[in-house]
Amino acid sequence: MSKAKVTITDVAKASGVSNSAVSYALNGKPGVSQETREKVLKVADQLGWRPNKAAKSLSDARTNSVGLVLTYDPAVLSVEAFGMELITGLTARLEEAGYSLLIRSSRNMRAELDILDDWIASGAVDGVFLQNVELGDPRIELMSHHLEMPTVVMGDESLAGGLISLSTNERDGVRVIAEYCADQGHRRIARVAGPENLGHTFIRDNAFMEVAARLGLQYTCLHADYTPEGGRKCTERLLSLPNAPTAIIYDNDVMALTGAQVAAVRGLNVPQDLSVISWDDSFLCEVNALGITALGHNIIERGRTAAGLLLDLIDGKPVESVWEPQEKLVVRASSGPLA
Amino acid sequence: MSKAKVTITDVAKASGVSNSAVSYALNGKPGVSQETREKVLKVADQLGWRPNKAAKSLSDARTNSVGLVLTYDPAVLSVEAFGMELITGLTARLEEAGYSLLIRSSRNMRAELDILDDWIASGAVDGVFLQNVELGDPRIELMSHHLEMPTVVMGDESLAGGLISLSTNERDGVRVIAEYCADQGHRRIARVAGPENLGHTFIRDNAFMEVAARLGLQYTCLHADYTPEGGRKCTERLLSLPNAPTAIIYDNDVMALTGAQVAAVRGLNVPQDLSVISWDDSFLCEVNALGITALGHNIIERGRTAAGLLLDLIDGKPVESVWEPQEKLVVRASSGPLA
DNA sequence: TTGTAAGCGTTATCAG
DNA sequence: CTGATAACGCTTACAA
């Protein structure tokens, strides 16, 4: 049924040469005659030899895998397409380089730090991705003290503490949305933002305040947690204000959708009475009785890019942080001129 | 900045004992005095020692990681919550046992088989999950020839070729839906199914035909690919039939949503003129102008269960295939009695 | 109770 | 060009 594992020694015996000759032959390195090489290759193939991963890793101090810690938050994780798209992009690029993605799950920041510590000390991975960076994120500090572990921060350069990062131009996104609102005649806009501790929330907060001031818009912001419930509550609150906003921007698709629903329930007509705009575009925004205007993002591509950066870092190539090109606003039925 | 890796030998030297004494102490094994043990533990902690993963794996032929191959199909993967929920469930359970999830990406069955081959021969993982099983799936055959590699099939036992599997009772689900339709007075029902090569599609196909016959329902079935476009086209076709169905069941949430949309565009009132039912429940069904009736599934829990099975298998415990309890139909606004 | 040494499967060094 | 041999860091007989 199952052939016993075939080692390099088996191949050596079977082809009547030494252990090292086999190693040279199989790795395409010089030090072995063409004739021997071919014979070894043939035998290895016949025997179905594959390098043992543990042995190889031990020998050359490389695992050919990189790590990603997922935060176990079923309420949010499962609801957003983001995570899966990211993993898809990461693994697609990693696969090209023969790398695997090693995933572990944490319940909180403390647990995630433990995992990173473990990876650093145990050599379980050749590099790590950092996601959902917070203000003063302890992971940044940790990895800064361990530059021997290649790290790519998937978040704004200003939060990366000098580590290599892949940033999206949040400020541009904010500007595009705010100017669009202003163009459509809105004077009072609001935002249902993500968690306040997240770095990109902070950056958007600042950018929105700045651009609102510049454009003379009245701007209100509430922070929620990306969940349907959070979006619902914040929208209720905003729409109950004496001077309710005429356009609301949501930091993710899920909240935008629930927001639009709340508006409908309150008898508001979207977009005549209220424009709804989502920061993240997705299937949710697209396929919906009412299409939701949203800022486009190509998460899969972002994943590919991040993986490429990490691979280069691991290979010791010179790497610089990347700023992603500005995304475009996809205008759909949920937004328009003020009636 | 970065401390050089600390090995067991470092700890041995620092605590003035031998290499093996350290190993015994750190692994809580007998063969070392209480005094020595404590000293070693303290020193190891101070030095920040962690077992090197490659060395440990090489020594005891275990990697403490299990593999999952993702099929790279951006069109589908990113659209469904399924994948992320599954990974969340898997990693949550694996974490409890100190295991990691190793992910690789394939573009097709051939590539996936190569990856499995590689894992089997290289010992890169201690076990694997098989997902989206097809009829006569070559992966089943492959893993059956390599029982030394623990495998859990996340799919119907009838497709698992004797491997340990985690099945959901598809037939029960089919029955629940069909009986619901019949109860509501529908006589002509249709189904927009998933890809025909998938095992669970096949099983549902059969079950639907059986139960429709039993209940005296007229039943039509079209096969699509889980994408919005597929759902749209099939719905168009069904609604154009001379004797159009009055209830359509979709094999996933995405197609159900687009189906409901198509109906609306054609001037049909859901549910008065047409009932729409989704096989998979999800946020998509829940938060929608029109709630979509759907069969509930707890994918996270399913992931946990699958991971538990695989861990037991790896530990050599006696394991039996599991049938998941029957899911309940969550009735929402998209379905109801025939007008 | 302790230390020595062999072995896990590679890669890489160094004589022949 | 080839074949011993050490090294990677850990576990585990086996000897002291």
Side-chain angles (χ1 to χ4, degrees):
Chain A
M1 181 126 309
S2 61
K3 291 136 190 137
K5 295 265 184 299
V6 26
T7 77
I8 216 169
T9 310
D10 298 327
V11 178
K13 278 186 194 145
S15 39
V17 295
S18 80
N19 232 318
S20 51
V22 173
S23 179
Y24 288 136
L26 292 168
N27 293 316
K29 297 204 172 174
V32 72
S33 71
Q34 186 58 24
E35 190 189 15
T36 309
R37 181 184 305 276
E38 279 167 13
K39 185 172 56 183
V40 168
L41 252 38
K42 211 178 91 186
V43 171
D45 188 51
Q46 281 172 348
L47 265 49
W49 175 88
R50 301 279 181 108
N52 176 284
K53 223 204 160 225
K56 196 172 170 63
S57 292
L58 180 59
S59 180
D60 54 35
R62 260 165 163 271
T63 64
N64 285 311
S65 64
V66 295
L68 175 69
V69 180
L70 291 182
T71 299
Y72 181 76
D73 186 348
V76 178
L77 256 185
S78 57
V79 132
E80 295 190 283
F82 182 87
M84 205 56 212
E85 297 194 17
L86 182 66
I87 290 176
T88 300
L90 291 176
T91 53
R93 178 67 186 87
L94 291 173
E95 192 67 28
E96 295 170 4
Y99 272 70
S100 305
L101 183 65
L102 194 74
I103 293 192
R104 286 186 60 184
S105 161
S106 77
R107 299 194 155 270
N108 50 53
M109 182 59 80
R110 178 76 229 129
E112 176 155 1
L113 288 169
D114 285 344
I115 292 172
L116 292 173
D117 265 331
D118 181 50
W119 279 346
I120 292 168
S122 73
V125 295
D126 297 340
V128 299
F129 298 107
L130 256 39
Q131 215 199 332
N132 280 335
V133 183
E134 303 182 2
L135 290 171
D137 197 311
R139 294 172 296 172
I140 299 288
E141 160 137 31
L142 174 63
M143 300 317 293
S144 300
H145 288 314
H146 290 280
L147 298 177
E148 78 277 14
M149 175 66 81
T151 303
V152 166
V153 177
M154 293 190 289
D156 201 275
E157 190 170 20
S158 66
L159 304 161
L163 296 173
I164 296 298
S165 63
L166 173 56
S167 322
T168 44
N169 201 323
E170 307 272 340
R171 286 169 205 77
D172 272 9
V174 168
R175 186 179 46 71
V176 167
I177 291 179
E179 287 177 353
Y180 167 79
C181 289
D183 283 351
Q184 304 290 313
H186 296 276
R187 312 303 308 154
R188 297 188 306 280
I189 68 174
R191 174 157 156 267
V192 176
E196 206 158 3
N197 57 324
L198 288 183
H200 59 256
T201 303
F202 178 80
I203 289 170
R204 288 179 208 167
D205 284 354
N206 283 346
F208 259 108
M209 288 189 289
E210 276 175 38
V211 74
R214 179 165 63 76
L215 297 173
L217 300 175
Q218 188 184 319
Y219 166 73
T220 320
C221 178
L222 296 179
H223 291 90
D225 57 1
Y226 287 145
T227 64
E229 207 38 54
R232 193 180 331 267
K233 277 187 195 150
C234 289
T235 307
E236 294 280 11
R237 239 180 101 189
L238 289 171
L239 294 181
S240 303
L241 291 175
N243 250 330
T246 60
I248 306 184
I249 298 107
Y250 295 83
D251 265 16
N252 77 343
D253 48 4
V254 168
M255 296 195 296
L257 218 67
T258 49
Q261 244 189 313
V262 166
V265 168
R266 294 177 70 105
L268 291 179
N269 193 320
V270 176
Q272 277 96 324
D273 304 322
L274 177 73
S275 280
V276 167
I277 298 172
S278 166
W279 184 274
D280 287 325
D281 196 5
S282 77
F283 175 77
L284 283 180
C285 297
E286 198 180 331
V287 177
N288 200 265
L290 169 84
I292 305 275
T293 295
L295 208 54
H297 295 294
N298 191 336
I299 309 296
I300 295 183
E301 196 49 42
R302 195 188 297 179
R304 294 190 75 101
T305 306
L309 285 176
L310 189 52
L311 289 168
D312 285 348
L313 222 42
I314 291 171
D315 286 348
K317 294 181 188 159
V319 178
E320 296 204 346
S321 288
V322 169
W323 280 86
E324 288 204 317
Q326 145 79 69
E327 313 284 356
K328 284 173 299 295
L329 192 67
V330 182
V331 177
R332 299 202 183 88
S334 73
S335 70
L338 187 54
Chain B
M1 182 127 309
S2 62
K3 291 136 190 135
K5 295 266 184 296
V6 25
T7 77
I8 215 171
T9 309
D10 297 328
V11 178
K13 278 187 195 145
S15 38
V17 295
S18 81
N19 234 319
S20 54
V22 173
S23 178
Y24 290 136
L26 292 168
N27 293 316
K29 298 203 172 174
V32 71
S33 70
Q34 186 58 24
E35 189 190 16
T36 308
R37 183 184 305 277
E38 278 167 13
K39 185 172 57 183
V40 168
L41 251 38
K42 210 178 94 187
V43 172
D45 187 52
Q46 282 172 349
L47 265 48
W49 175 87
R50 301 278 181 108
N52 176 283
K53 223 206 160 222
K56 193 169 173 64
S57 293
L58 180 59
S59 179
D60 53 34
R62 262 167 162 268
T63 64
N64 286 312
S65 64
V66 295
L68 176 70
V69 180
L70 292 181
T71 298
Y72 180 77
D73 186 348
V76 178
L77 255 186
S78 56
V79 134
E80 295 191 282
F82 183 87
M84 203 58 213
E85 297 193 17
L86 182 66
I87 291 176
T88 300
L90 291 176
T91 54
R93 178 67 186 86
L94 291 173
E95 191 68 27
E96 295 170 3
Y99 272 70
S100 305
L101 183 66
L102 193 73
I103 292 192
R104 285 187 61 183
S105 161
S106 78
R107 301 193 154 269
N108 49 52
M109 182 60 79
R110 178 77 230 126
E112 176 155 1
L113 287 170
D114 285 344
I115 291 172
L116 291 173
D117 264 331
D118 181 51
W119 279 346
I120 291 168
S122 74
V125 296
D126 297 341
V128 298
F129 297 106
L130 257 38
Q131 215 198 333
N132 280 335
V133 183
E134 304 183 2
L135 290 171
D137 197 310
R139 294 172 296 173
I140 299 287
E141 160 138 30
L142 174 63
M143 301 316 293
S144 299
H145 289 314
H146 289 279
L147 298 177
E148 79 276 13
M149 175 67 81
T151 302
V152 166
V153 177
M154 293 190 288
D156 201 274
E157 189 170 19
S158 66
L159 303 161
L163 296 172
I164 295 298
S165 62
L166 174 57
S167 322
T168 44
N169 201 324
E170 308 272 339
R171 286 169 204 78
D172 272 10
V174 167
R175 186 180 46 73
V176 167
I177 291 179
E179 287 178 354
Y180 168 79
C181 288
D183 283 351
Q184 304 291 313
H186 296 275
R187 310 304 307 156
R188 297 189 305 280
I189 68 173
R191 176 157 154 265
V192 177
E196 207 159 2
N197 57 324
L198 287 184
H200 59 257
T201 303
F202 177 80
I203 289 169
R204 289 179 207 166
D205 284 355
N206 284 345
F208 260 109
M209 289 189 289
E210 276 175 37
V211 75
R214 178 165 65 77
L215 297 174
L217 300 175
Q218 188 183 319
Y219 168 71
T220 320
C221 178
L222 295 179
H223 291 90
D225 57 0
Y226 288 145
T227 64
E229 207 38 54
R232 194 182 329 269
K233 278 186 195 149
C234 290
T235 307
E236 294 278 11
R237 240 179 100 188
L238 289 171
L239 295 181
S240 303
L241 292 175
N243 251 330
T246 60
I248 306 183
I249 298 108
Y250 295 82
D251 265 16
N252 78 343
D253 49 3
V254 168
M255 296 194 296
L257 219 68
T258 49
Q261 244 190 313
V262 166
V265 168
R266 295 175 70 104
L268 291 178
N269 193 320
V270 175
Q272 278 96 323
D273 305 322
L274 178 73
S275 281
V276 167
I277 298 173
S278 166
W279 185 275
D280 287 325
D281 196 6
S282 76
F283 175 78
L284 284 180
C285 297
E286 197 181 331
V287 176
N288 200 266
L290 170 83
I292 306 275
T293 295
L295 208 56
H297 297 293
N298 191 336
I299 308 297
I300 295 183
E301 197 49 40
R302 193 187 298 179
R304 295 190 73 102
T305 306
L309 285 176
L310 189 52
L311 289 169
D312 284 348
L313 223 41
I314 291 172
D315 286 349
K317 295 182 188 157
V319 179
E320 296 204 346
S321 289
V322 169
W323 280 86
E324 288 204 316
Q326 143 81 68
E327 313 286 356
K328 285 173 299 296
L329 191 67
V330 182
V331 177
R332 299 202 182 88
S334 72
S335 69
L338 188 54

